Amino acid sequence: WNLEAVAISHRVGRLEVGDIAVVIAVAAPHRHEAFAACEYAIERIKAMVPIWKKEVFEDGARWVGGE
């Protein structure tokens, strides 16, 4: 891709359902390249980064993820 800049931030801490956890910003001369780069970035993050989350229920909690 012909990108000028990329910034990625992943939030930590307690999140509610629907809260934003990841922000990816890409600067490129053309939108198609920017969108493709964002899609690639989020898929690589999901595949490579061991992210764990704690799911909390009324009757308890459990850790998931990090495979």
Side-chain angles (χ1 to χ4, degrees), residues 3-47:
L3 306 179
E4 295 182 13
V6 176
I8 301 172
S9 180
H10 193 287
R11 184 172 166 187
V12 296
R14 185 177 179 91
L15 300 172
E16 298 299 326
V17 173
D19 284 352
I20 295 171
V22 178
V23 174
I24 301 171
V26 175
H30 303 286
R31 279 180 293 195
H32 179 75
E33 290 177 326
F35 289 141
C38 285
E39 183 177 20
Y40 177 82
I42 193 65
E43 294 304 323
R44 293 301 294 153
I45 289 168
K46 290 170 20 181

